[in-house]
Amino acid sequence: MFSLLNKKGKARRGSLTTEHGVIETPFFMPIATKGAVKTLSALDMEELNAQILLSNTYHLMLRPSMNSMERLGGLHKFMGWNKPILTDSGGYQVFSLSKINNITEDGVTFNSHIDGAKINLTPEISMQMQSVIGSDIIMQFDDVAAGKSSFDRFQDAMERSLRWAQRCKDSYNKNQKLFGIVQGGVHESLRQKSAEGLVDIGFDGYAIGGLSVGE
């Protein structure tokens, strides 16, 4: 649940309640992509007053893997971190690892950058992995187009992301907070259609996606 605490002009301050605690907004979110902030421990992050950490579904799916993460009891226990965690869905890797993946309507097949093994990531598998991780806030799996893509590629990715958003909504762990992600590149008409489509599906929150990817 999000509560607005103060509003002055266009600035807002609020609080977001999650399974592992309350986050005061706005906040800085340290990156723990593979389950750790580089060179720092969970205790270090506590002492620095970090409110939430960001980890990545794709990378944790490769190592330690879904089965191992489940056996370890989730990422909070694995890290020794008792505050909220947000996980990216793996959608960014659709863009960043485009040379080693193949996109279909079902999902994305990756060739692991570690050992070349084939990794299949669909909206449903992304939701399952994020449930096993035990994230407080999870992101929909989306198709992220590179910043210099054609209009047709942006439109295709945006429309596919909306279809995948519905599949994520249908399959996610209801104890987690699911965020939809607006796509459409720098094209206002596409971004408006994306935002309206996500609101129609209905999410706990909405993210601005598909920017700062090379425009």
Side-chain angles (χ1 to χ4, degrees):
M1 181 179 72
F2 179 77
S3 300
L4 185 61
L5 301 178
N6 188 38
K7 182 175 181 179
K8 186 175 182 180
K10 293 184 179 180
R12 299 196 308 169
R13 186 174 68 84
S15 66
L16 178 63
T17 303
T18 75
E19 190 79 10
H20 286 88
V22 177
I23 312 165
E24 297 285 339
T25 68
F27 56 85
F28 176 74
M29 186 160 47
I31 307 299
T33 297
K34 301 176 183 179
V37 178
K38 289 183 178 180
T39 76
L40 297 172
S41 68
L43 179 59
D44 291 326
M45 301 315 300
E46 286 269 8
E47 292 177 345
L48 288 168
N49 295 319
Q51 299 186 72
I52 184 172
L53 299 181
L54 166 65
S55 293
N56 184 273
T57 298
Y58 168 82
H59 288 287
L60 291 173
M61 195 169 170
L62 291 182
R63 288 188 297 197
S65 80
M66 187 183 298
N67 290 337
S68 295
M69 180 60 66
E70 187 168 28
R71 190 168 61 251
L72 291 164
L75 189 56
H76 286 92
K77 186 175 180 180
F78 179 63
M79 292 179 66
W81 173 255
N82 297 316
K83 292 183 180 181
I85 292 174
L86 180 149
T87 41
D88 188 11
S89 64
Y92 183 77
Q93 279 66 44
V94 177
F95 154 72
S96 66
L97 300 177
S98 59
K99 293 182 180 179
I100 57 172
N101 69 40
N102 180 54
I103 305 170
T104 68
E105 185 61 29
D106 183 56
V108 182
T109 301
F110 295 87
N111 289 107
S112 168
H113 65 280
I114 298 171
D115 59 9
K118 284 194 174 182
I119 304 295
N120 189 38
L121 194 54
T122 67
E124 292 78 12
I125 292 174
S126 177
M127 295 298 99
Q128 183 184 2
M129 181 63 193
Q130 292 185 81
S131 179
V132 168
I133 290 169
S135 321
D136 297 86
I137 301 173
I138 63 176
M139 309 303 289
Q140 74 151 101
F141 188 55
D142 52 352
D143 182 356
V144 182
K148 296 181 180 180
S149 299
S150 67
F151 181 88
D152 288 346
R153 167 64 181 131
F154 278 124
Q155 183 173 26
D156 182 59
M158 181 275 291
E159 292 175 347
R160 182 177 293 109
S161 293
L162 280 178
R163 294 191 293 272
W164 286 357
Q166 183 64 65
R167 289 166 59 186
C168 290
K169 178 70 181 289
D170 292 341
S171 61
Y172 85 109
N173 180 340
K174 304 304 185 290
N175 292 323
Q176 298 172 298
K177 296 187 182 300
L178 175 63
F179 279 41
I181 306 176
V182 178
Q183 293 293 343
V186 294
H187 302 284
E188 185 175 351
S189 61
L190 296 182
R191 299 196 74 85
Q192 180 171 343
K193 182 177 179 181
S194 175
E196 291 171 349
L198 291 172
V199 170
D200 286 343
I201 295 171
F203 290 90
D204 296 301
Y206 302 88
I208 299 173
L211 295 172
S212 297
V213 287
E215 295 91 343

